[in-house]
């Protein structure tokens, strides 16, 4: 277009072509800054983990997917162990830990519900064998156990929904790091280089950076809180005190 404008001596076409060339160059600069920011951000997060003296966070941020401690702390670590970003691993570790805790709680609630519901349905039958035969049945414990069973049923349903939502978020964060973020970022850079799709390209770039940086960071703080809670619980167990990572029991 610039050459056509020069041949036609049209300054407006030449000016428009110069602006578009600058936008392409500017998109390349943005892409280079984004790549530098990704590496710098990961270095900062790893530095925070190292200085926090959180043993759980340091194990999670290891780049070795075959590490047995990391696999024990994070059941899904093997599936997402090739993710090289510390904040993504910490976010997934937090969500995975919350899922496991809710799974244990739901199992305990369901196990208790089985016992109390069986007792609530237990009945006593009395049958007359005299001339006027008849019988009657009464359940002496139903009235005492019904309120608790209702609450346990509601708690189990609520925990099941929370478990599903939490696991979906954990998988979604891994999907962002592995596929969605690079796809949106590259597509945004390409679309931003053209005039008619510039706004769409900028929107895709903003979505990619927000999903990759901001969204997981909401859960990174939770990962540190979980590590503190586990460390405090570990100090109350003689076999775990001083060795929270190597302890195989339940905190």
């Amino acid at each position: 277009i610039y050459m056509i404008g020069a041949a036609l001596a049209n300054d407006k076409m030449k000016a428009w072509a110069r602006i578009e060339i600058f936008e392409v160059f500017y998109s390349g600069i943005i892409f280079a800054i984004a790549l530098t920011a990704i590496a710098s951000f990961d270095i900062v997060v790893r530095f925070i983990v190292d200085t926090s003296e959180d043993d759980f966070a340091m194990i999670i941020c290891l780049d070795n997917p075959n590490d047995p401690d990391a696999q024990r702390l994070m059941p899904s670590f093997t599936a997402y162990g090739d993710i090289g970003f510390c904040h993504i691993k910490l976010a997934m570790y937090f969500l995975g830990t919350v899922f496991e805790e809710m799974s244990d709680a739901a199992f305990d609630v369901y196990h208790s519900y089985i016992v109390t519901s069986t007792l609530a349905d237990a009945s006593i039958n009395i049958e007359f064998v005299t001339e006027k035969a008849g019988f009657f049945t009464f359940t002496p414990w139903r009235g005492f156990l019904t309120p608790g069973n209702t609450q346990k049923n509601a708690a189990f349903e609520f925990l099941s929904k929370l478990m599903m939502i939490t696991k979906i978020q954990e998988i979604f964060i891994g999907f962002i790091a592995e596929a969605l973020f690079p796809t949106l970022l590259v597509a945004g850079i390409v679309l931003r280089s053209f005039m008619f799709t510039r706004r769409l390209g900028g929107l895709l770039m903003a979505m990619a950076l927000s999903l990759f940086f901001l969204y997981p960071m909401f859960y990174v703080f939770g990962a540190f809180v979980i590590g503190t809670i586990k460390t405090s619980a570990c100090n109350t167990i003689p076999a775990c005190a001083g060795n929270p990572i190597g302890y195989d029991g339940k905190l």
Side-chain angles (χ1 to χ4, degrees):
I1 293 176
Y2 183 84
M3 290 187 293
I4 293 174
L8 299 177
N10 191 324
D11 294 334
K12 291 184 178 181
M13 293 180 63
K14 293 169 62 177
W16 182 85
R18 282 195 296 266
I19 292 175
E20 292 302 314
I21 292 174
F22 173 78
E23 290 294 341
V24 174
F25 179 72
Y26 186 65
S27 297
I29 294 177
I30 294 176
F31 185 71
I33 293 175
L35 294 181
T36 305
I38 293 171
S40 302
F41 183 78
D42 189 64
I43 292 175
V44 171
V45 174
R46 291 180 183 272
F47 176 77
I48 294 174
V49 170
D50 293 337
T51 56
S52 66
E53 298 182 355
D54 190 333
D55 295 332
F56 296 95
M58 286 188 287
I59 289 296
I60 291 302
C61 284
L62 289 176
D63 292 326
N64 182 14
N66 297 320
D67 185 82
D69 292 330
Q71 292 179 2
R72 184 171 65 253
L73 292 177
M74 189 176 180
S76 59
F77 188 85
T78 304
Y80 301 104
D82 56 345
I83 297 177
F85 306 104
C86 182
H87 72 290
I88 296 293
K89 291 181 180 180
L90 288 175
M92 296 177 65
Y93 163 68
F94 169 72
L95 293 171
T97 302
V98 173
F99 176 85
E100 294 297 328
E101 294 293 335
M102 288 191 294
S103 177
D104 293 339
F107 177 79
D108 293 338
V109 170
Y110 185 69
H111 185 267
S112 177
Y113 176 79
I114 291 176
V115 176
T116 54
S117 62
T118 301
L119 292 176
D121 291 334
S123 61
I124 298 177
N125 296 330
I126 299 178
E127 183 175 355
F128 297 99
V129 294
T130 58
E131 183 178 356
K132 296 182 178 180
F135 69 93
F136 66 90
T137 303
F138 67 96
T139 54
W141 302 283
R142 179 178 291 276
F144 296 100
L145 299 176
T146 297
N149 289 338
T150 303
Q151 295 176 0
K152 292 175 184 179
N153 187 29
F156 182 79
E157 292 182 358
F158 187 67
L159 285 171
S160 299
K161 295 176 182 178
L162 288 179
M163 288 169 58
M164 181 176 63
I165 295 173
T166 304
K167 181 58 66 173
I168 288 174
Q169 291 185 81
E170 179 188 355
I171 296 173
F172 182 60
I173 288 180
F175 175 72
I176 289 174
E178 290 287 288
L180 191 59
F181 169 69
T183 302
L184 289 179
L185 183 63
V186 173
I189 291 294
V190 173
L191 293 177
R192 198 196 172 281
S193 302
F194 301 98
M195 181 184 66
F196 299 104
T197 58
R198 185 158 297 140
R199 290 188 177 183
L200 177 60
L203 176 63
L204 293 180
M205 292 172 58
M207 291 175 57
L209 296 176
S210 298
L211 289 173
F212 184 77
F213 290 109
L214 299 181
Y215 175 53
M217 286 302 295
F218 284 102
Y219 300 116
V220 170
F221 176 75
F224 287 110
V225 173
I226 288 290
T228 303
I229 294 175
K230 286 187 175 183
T231 302
S232 300
C234 180
N235 293 331
T236 62
I237 304 175
C240 179
N243 187 28
I245 302 300
Y247 179 67
D248 295 330
K250 184 177 178 61
L251 293 177

